[in-house]
Structure formats: structure tokens, C-alpha cells
Amino acid sequence: MAGTRVDRYVPPWDNPPVAVQFDRPYYRRFYLDARTAVTTAAQTKAKAKMIAAVLRHLDIPVRRILDARCGIGAMRGPLLRALPGATWLGVETSPWLCARFGWKRGTVQDLRVRGRFDLVVCDDVLQYLDDRDARRAIGNLRRVCRGALYFGALTREDWEANCDRTSTDPTPWLRPGDWYRRELARGFVPAGMGLWLHHRTPVALWDLERLP
């Protein structure tokens, strides 16, 4: 997970990192302990308000929200408050989190949910998947989305220039940002700030609102 920016470049790790174990110690360190958490409640609330504001601006009604790999469910409350009347479904692969919070057990690369969703959230997930599974995951996000996707992933450029490595785990697969942009563009139109519109969403983006 990514923290705030540092100015000094630190070379990548000497040895490739091992696969991350999404267990209780992992979530306690990066999410539940305020001293080592990668984000704050205020930052999560601001992100939810930004997503809701853009969707209202584009006149995209949100009735169903899917949070794919929802973690501790930090976005649930802020999104439901920012988008009143919507329902929220969280899917998570961690057995510990599913037992503690009651999330639906599953993975993004083998996503099994009913129906389609007006807003799909997939944030800080795909950098933990190899290329094959990451492509499968993006295909699933495209399949279940009928409106907008909020997508984030730690890229190679972020690791080199943006993130605080003292609070960021070196994930097994760091890809350049263009890899994600290319794969997402197969079914989504970039609207900026991490938001992508499904290519069949009947919304016209003004020329300068749409990213190249």
C-alpha cells in the first residue's frame, strides 16, 4: 500500500519481494494501527466525496456499489454517506477479514457477483497479481460495471518517485502506469483522478474533461 511522497530516490529492492500474506498482522500494520496506517479516515472521506462529486457532475445515478477487495471496508461508510440511497457490496480474499466483518469471500481475478454495478471500486489491488491474473481482474471489472470504475494501483513510477517506502510494502508485481492505462482502455474511458467510465455508459465527456 502506498503512503505519502518522499523526495529522495531509493533504488529498488535487491531481491524480489515474496507474495504478501493478507492476514491479521498485515491489516493491523497497514490499516488498523494509526501509527503505521497508510491512509487516514480524513483521506478516505475526501476520496469518497471526490468520487461522488464527479458522478453527480456526470449525472450518473448510483444505486449499487461494488468494492472489489474491500479490505477493512474503509470506503463503505464514506461512500454510502456521499451517495445516499445506494447499496454496497464488499468482496475480499482475506479469510480473517471476511470472518471479522462479514464480507463476501472472493478474488477480483475470479469475481463472482450477481448483476452489474453503477460504481465499482478497485483500489490498491492489482499490483499484488501477476500479469495474467491482473488482466483477468480487469476483464471482470469491465463485466460487472455499468457506470464508473474507481481504480488505483501502485505503479513502478509511484515506487520510484511518489510513495513513502517506510509505509509501503514492495509488492511482487510493479508495472508501469501505461500498462494499466492500456488494459483499462479496452473497456473504459479515462475521466481523470482514478475514475474510468465504462465504454457503454451513455455519458459524453467534454474534450478537456477526458484524459488523452
Side-chain angles (χ1 to χ4, degrees), residues 2 9 21 25 32 37 65 86 96 102-103 106 108 114 116-117 122 129 132-134 137 173 183 185 190:
Y9 172 78
Q21 297 297 315
L32 299 175
I65 303 170
W96 180 72
W103 310 144
V108 188
R114 292 184 178 181
R116 301 178 70 194
F117 296 81
C122 186
L129 304 179
R132 176 178 178 271
D133 280 347
W173 293 278
E183 296 298 323

Side-chain angles (χ1 to χ4, degrees), residues 13-78:
W13 49 84
D14 294 329
N15 299 309
V18 298
V20 176
Q21 297 297 315
F22 296 105
D23 51 12
R24 180 176 180 178
Y26 173 89
Y27 285 102
R28 285 186 64 85
R29 175 185 175 187
F30 290 109
Y31 291 95
L32 299 175
D33 189 334
R35 296 170 300 176
T36 56
V38 297
T39 189
T40 67
Q43 290 170 331
T44 301
K45 180 180 178 180
K47 182 184 295 186
K49 291 175 69 174
M50 179 274 294
I51 293 171
V54 174
L55 296 183
R56 281 194 294 268
H57 168 68
L58 296 174
D59 198 24
I60 297 176
V62 177
R63 295 177 294 275
R64 302 185 74 209
I65 303 170
L66 171 67
D67 197 335
R69 285 293 306 276
C70 61
I72 63 171
M75 288 287 283
R76 180 179 183 272

Side-chain angles (χ1 to χ4, degrees), residues 168-190:
T168 303
D169 51 327
T171 60
W173 293 278
L174 280 180
R175 307 178 183 89
D178 281 345
W179 189 95
Y180 291 104
R181 281 184 279 269
R182 181 178 65 252
E183 296 298 323
L184 287 165
R186 299 178 190 275
F188 295 95
V189 176

